Amino acid sequence: MLEIRNLQAKAGDRQILNGIDLTVSPGEVHAIMGPNGSGKSTLAGALAGRDGIEVTGGSATFKGQDLLELEPEERAREGLFLAFQYPVEIPGVNNAYLLKAALNEVRKHRGQPELDAMDFMTLVRKRMSLLEMDDALLNRPVNDGFSGGEKKRNEIFQLAVLEPTLAILDETDSGLDIDALKTVAGGVNAMRSPERSMVVVTHYQRLLHYIVPDFVHVLARGRIVKSGGKELALELEEKGYGWLDAEPARPAVASGVSLHETSTA
Amino acid sequence: MPQIAIGADSYAAQFATLKGTAPAAGPLGSLRDDAFRCFDRLGFPTTRLEEWRFTNIAPIVDTPFQAAGAAAGSGREVVDALRPPRSGGPELVFVNGRFAPELSDASGLPPGVRVRSLAATADAEAGGLDALAPYLGRLARFERHAFTALNTAFLADGAVIEVDGGVLVDRPIHLLFASSSDAAPVLSQPRVLVVAGASSELRVVESHAGAGDVPYLSNAVTEVSVAENAVVDHYTVVREAPAAFHVGSLAVRIGRAGNFSSHAITAGGAIVRHEAGVVLGGEGGECTLNGLYLANGRQLVDNQTTIDHAMPHCDSHELYKGILDGRSRAVFNGKIIVRLDAQKTDAKQSNKALLLSEDAQITTKPQLEIFADDVKCTHGATVGQLDADAMFYLRSRALSEAQARQLLIHAFAADLLGHIKVEAIRRQLDALLLERLPMNGNG
Ligand SMILES: Nc1ncnc2c1ncn2[C@@H]1O[C@H](COP(=O)(O)OP(=O)(O)OP(=O)(O)O)[C@@H](O)[C@H]1O
Ligand SMILES: [Mg+2]
């Protein structure tokens, strides 16, 4: 599904990613944790094709294609979805309008016919109830004046409507209260399937309690410095990131494979 | 007088011819004479005048325009192509400033409303224009305005809309001014007079459009009198041909507790200048000036507004927005005068420009002249580009770059579109906003 090899990238003038290796197979959920400023959002941005993040080395392939060659919209149409850490407010653009345009672009790319207004609303209603989303949000401008939690819920609602093959969730838990977290995590879990992979960026074990990952990676100073199973998240919660400074950077692939065996055993 | 160029001399000859062939008796005749004297004295404005500093009209001055004759130009096909969507209300069509009855339909008006051509009004009964004398040429002052003087000097036709006191006109009255030059560059001079009686309500839509590659000059003047408690909602949509020039002046006087709003949409023409001047001449009056200007290529679009708070307790709201692409240039000059007596004035002004290219330029200048002390006046101007974060957000949701741009540009204008009460105009604008944007095929 996703193969990242020795990925290096700059944000602005600063070198942020210093050689990331990560393999995500279909159906897997990977959690990425790490201190503030370690490069988690930069990695997510590089994968989604954000302007201003310049890949300076390495490679990333998605479903066998060179991901880095594609425009952001082509990545989205191929099935990559980024739930933003800071969803952008876009006054004047209607939320439902955007969603319908997005869905139809994705469907067109998959060779499916456009949805008519009725079918679209049926799908939207289903997904809204899955995420217990307030109807009113649908007809407001995108994220405009949404509360922090509403923005995050809206991101996952979009995910649920667009049904991507790879979802990257950048700190979806921040801003959600405990009930909202449960609901949103429930929504994410409902979207889990053998064909769909997820990369979940978070600081807290709290989220991983609900969205249980197959793997946990720690990103520090632009590298994955440790990888493990879901229990690694608990360890981090207890000890913080400081103890990792001593550990040498290790490529995630090798450890990922062995851990996968242990975690599914 | 150094500022009089060849252009002005050629108009003197034309004015003499006009006087010879179509002498106007009575007040109209002397109005024209006065106006021509003013034009002759003023000459065309140059960039040395403060209000014209950034708008060089040499291409207008240097083109030998011929005042449109009575039996003017284009037929039904040209007009049909230019005809904007309308909302079923009456529509008067003018070709090169002359009323075209065969293309017009003034039916369906409620009693107490008269929509006529100026020529017909003048002919109708002896002293047909007498009732209009307090307004015609009085609201749009020409003593210091060469283009208004030029329009008034050749005043022969136009639209006259009179609404009696207490009458509510539910459907918008559409006026289409179609212009085009055949062989030689034509001077088309649309003229509109709206007299809204006390407590009346009406909506007027002026469309200025044109065709052809030969330049023409559309020099339009609109006068609006809003009596006590009357409500007038006015739209100007300027979509002249690419080679054409448009200079328009809207002059409004609002009486006690009257309410006037203007929506000025300027989109087409090589040089487009739109002036809106409003006098709040009675207590409790309210005025809204909204504008949307779109420019591309090497277009120049210039908006000048003056709101004169002459009486206490009046509100004015002004919002102009521009979308500039290519090497286009825009000027916005917003003047607010608050007279000594105009206590409790509340005036808001805002101008926002969206620059879509590095070569587009906007010059914006608010001008506040406040003589009263108990007033609220705010103004602001912003210039920006499309928000890169919003662009990325939309593209990450599978929209093409072109679609994302389109959505954001439309969103920029959304609040102005929301104020437009004539559905047909809103749809026309939606289309206009989309049509001007580059489409990259795969969208
Ligand atoms: N355009 C830029 N120019 C310079 N530095 C940048 C730019 N964008 C991001 N950075 C820097 O890159 C580093 C990594 O940022 P990033 O947002 O990827 O961190 P993060 O791991 O997501 O942190 P957080 O947990 O706080 O969300 C930060 O130090 C940030 O300041
Ligand atoms: Mg981050």
Side-chain angles (χ1 to χ4, degrees):
Chain A
M1 169 86 52
L2 178 69
E3 300 237 3
I4 304 174
R5 292 280 166 274
N6 192 25
L7 188 70
Q8 298 147 50
K10 276 176 153 175
D13 300 335
R14 277 183 56 197
Q15 190 70 39
I16 306 295
L17 301 183
N18 298 310
I20 305 270
D21 290 281
L22 181 66
T23 301
V24 178
S25 301
E28 291 177 353
V29 173
H30 290 241
I32 297 186
M33 305 182 79
N36 292 131
S38 56
K40 303 181 297 295
S41 294
T42 305
L43 174 60
L47 296 176
R50 181 174 214 125
D51 255 3
I53 296 178
E54 186 201 343
V55 173
T56 52
S59 67
T61 56
F62 176 49
K63 299 192 297 188
Q65 297 182 64
D66 182 353
L67 185 64
L68 305 176
E69 280 297 301
L70 303 178
E71 296 294 333
E73 60 270 31
E74 294 170 324
R75 301 180 195 201
R77 291 170 193 169
E78 284 294 334
L80 185 144
F81 180 90
L82 171 60
F84 284 66
Q85 180 176 6
Y86 304 109
V88 187
E89 299 197 8
I90 315 182
V93 175
N94 179 274
N95 211 13
Y97 182 92
L98 168 60
L99 198 58
K100 186 156 189 268
L103 180 61
N104 280 331
E105 283 307 322
V106 169
R107 290 179 62 91
K108 198 156 66 180
H109 188 75
R110 291 181 192 149
Q112 296 168 324
E114 290 199 358
L115 279 190
D116 63 26
M118 277 264 273
D119 292 343
F120 174 70
M121 279 319 294
T122 311
L123 173 65
V124 159
R125 295 247 165 267
K126 236 194 291 182
R127 297 316 195 204
M128 290 218 307
S129 72
L130 175 67
L131 286 154
E132 295 173 19
M133 203 170 92
D134 183 356
D135 272 28
L137 295 183
L138 190 62
N139 287 309
R140 280 178 40 190
V142 179
N143 295 322
D144 188 22
F146 285 24
S147 74
E150 286 168 342
K151 285 179 185 167
K152 294 307 180 70
R153 198 185 292 243
N154 190 45
E155 293 292 289
I156 303 307
F157 166 61
Q158 292 180 350
L159 185 161
V161 171
L162 297 177
E163 302 179 345
T165 41
L166 172 65
I168 303 170
L169 277 51
D170 194 354
E171 295 197 24
T172 296
D173 48 343
S174 68
L176 292 176
D177 66 39
I178 191 69
D179 294 330
L181 183 69
K182 274 189 212 164
T183 312
V184 169
V188 172
N189 284 331
M191 298 305 294
R192 284 178 81 156
S193 86
E195 295 82 41
R196 182 171 295 124
S197 312
M198 297 190 186
V199 174
V200 180
V201 174
T202 183
H203 285 286
Y204 302 107
Q205 159 60 24
R206 197 174 68 140
L207 176 70
L208 302 181
H209 181 69
Y210 298 106
I211 304 173
V212 181
D214 300 304
F215 304 100
V216 175
H217 310 279
V218 181
L219 191 67
R221 295 177 308 276
R223 279 199 183 84
I224 289 183
V225 295
K226 193 168 181 64
S227 296
K230 58 178 190 281
E231 63 290 341
L232 177 56
L234 283 168
E235 204 176 343
L236 290 166
E237 184 104 320
E238 226 168 87
K239 302 202 238 167
Y241 296 113
W243 62 283
L244 291 166
D245 281 347
E247 306 234 338
R250 262 192 299 159
V253 225
S255 57
V257 172
S258 60
L259 278 161
H260 185 57
E261 285 161 5
T262 52
S263 69
T264 50
Chain B
M1 280 191 273
Q3 68 266 58
I4 294 192
I6 37 162
D9 284 341
S10 116
Y11 296 112
Q14 292 184 47
F15 185 68
T17 313
L18 174 75
K19 271 180 82 87
T21 56
L28 192 54
S30 60
L31 186 63
R32 282 185 191 165
D33 287 346
D34 287 350
F36 193 78
R37 261 195 303 277
C38 285
F39 173 71
D40 203 36
R41 177 172 49 80
L42 294 164
F44 280 113
T46 70
T47 51
R48 272 170 293 174
L49 294 173
E50 184 56 30
E51 313 86 88
W52 292 87
R53 197 144 76 99
F54 302 102
T55 302
N56 182 352
I57 54 159
I60 296 178
V61 178
D62 295 343
T63 308
F65 293 106
Q66 291 294 314
S74 320
R76 186 174 292 274
E77 283 132 66
V78 175
V79 171
D80 281 344
L82 299 174
R83 213 187 276 273
R86 72 172 157 136
S87 15
E91 182 183 51
L92 265 57
V93 176
F94 295 79
V95 176
N96 289 343
R98 301 299 177 129
F99 182 49
E102 69 286 1
L103 302 174
S104 303
D105 170 14
S107 60
L109 285 164
V113 187
R114 287 170 303 288
V115 179
R116 296 181 285 182
S117 77
L118 186 70
T121 314
D123 286 349
E125 61 257 41
L129 288 176
D130 285 358
L132 306 179
Y135 313 105
L136 188 64
R138 298 283 173 260
L139 298 170
R141 312 297 305 189
F142 51 74
E143 290 80 0
R144 289 189 294 141
H145 198 297
F147 281 96
T148 301
L150 184 63
N151 178 295
T152 311
F154 287 83
L155 186 57
D157 209 348
V160 177
I161 300 172
E162 295 163 278
V163 182
D164 291 344
V167 173
L168 311 182
V169 188
D170 55 349
R171 285 187 301 176
I173 298 168
H174 287 253
L175 306 173
L176 169 61
F177 294 94
S179 303
S180 71
S181 298
D182 288 333
V186 159
L187 170 61
S188 165
Q189 305 213 80
R191 182 95 188 191
V192 179
L193 174 61
V194 178
V195 181
S199 302
S200 66
E201 276 187 39
L202 85 153
R203 204 157 263 162
V204 180
V205 179
E206 279 183 43
S207 299
H208 296 265
D213 302 327
V214 183
Y216 60 84
L217 168 60
S218 167
N219 178 32
V221 174
T222 297
E223 294 172 290
V224 182
S225 169
V226 183
E228 206 172 297
N229 288 314
V231 180
V232 177
D233 193 20
H234 181 269
Y235 298 82
T236 311
V237 183
V238 177
R239 301 187 64 189
E240 304 289 6
F245 307 105
H246 179 98
V247 179
S249 278
L250 168 68
V252 185
R253 185 171 184 89
I254 305 176
R256 191 187 178 82
N259 184 314
F260 174 80
S261 39
S262 153
H263 311 263
I265 295 121
T266 43
I271 298 177
V272 177
R273 162 119 168 172
H274 184 74
E275 301 182 14
V278 181
V279 178
L280 286 152
E283 281 194 38
E286 191 175 343
C287 158
T288 301
L289 296 186
N290 288 334
L292 177 64
Y293 48 98
L294 311 175
N296 210 335
R298 293 184 162 273
Q299 280 181 293
L300 167 60
V301 50
D302 176 354
N303 276 284
Q304 306 269 325
T305 67
T306 305
I307 300 177
D308 185 348
H309 282 263
M311 296 294 276
H313 293 283
C314 292
D315 292 353
S316 65
H317 324 271
E318 189 173 5
L319 174 61
Y320 271 68
K321 285 191 166 184
I323 301 170
L324 308 176
D325 206 348
R327 307 181 61 83
S328 66
R329 285 194 304 120
V331 180
F332 175 82
N333 222 332
K335 187 192 270 192
I336 297 175
I337 305 167
V338 182
R339 309 260 172 206
L340 195 57
D341 285 342
Q343 300 295 4
K344 305 287 179 192
T345 287
D346 189 348
K348 288 188 198 73
Q349 180 191 92
S350 161
N351 176 45
K352 298 184 174 162
L354 177 62
L355 304 186
L356 298 177
S357 89
E358 301 212 328
D359 297 320
Q361 261 186 47
I362 165 93
T363 309
T364 173
K365 190 175 79 172
Q367 230 179 315
L368 306 186
E369 297 176 8
I370 301 174
F371 303 100
D373 48 16
D374 186 10
V375 302
K376 262 199 285 186
C377 279
T378 60
H379 66 88
T382 61
V383 178
Q385 282 94 36
L386 286 180
D387 178 13
D389 288 338
M391 279 295 291
F392 176 62
Y393 189 86
L394 296 176
R395 294 179 72 190
S396 80
R397 297 301 180 252
L399 272 57
S400 69
E401 194 175 353
Q403 279 174 301
R405 273 167 67 93
Q406 234 172 44
L407 261 188
L408 292 181
I409 290 167
H410 192 276
F412 173 76
D415 51 353
L416 283 175
L417 296 178
H419 287 126
I420 291 178
K421 299 291 178 328
V422 181
E423 175 66 28
I425 299 287
R426 209 172 39 231
R427 270 187 282 123
Q428 189 190 9
L429 270 181
D430 278 338
L432 200 63
L433 284 169
L434 300 183
E435 144 201 323
R436 299 178 64 84
L437 304 165
M439 296 297 291
N440 294 347
N442 63 351

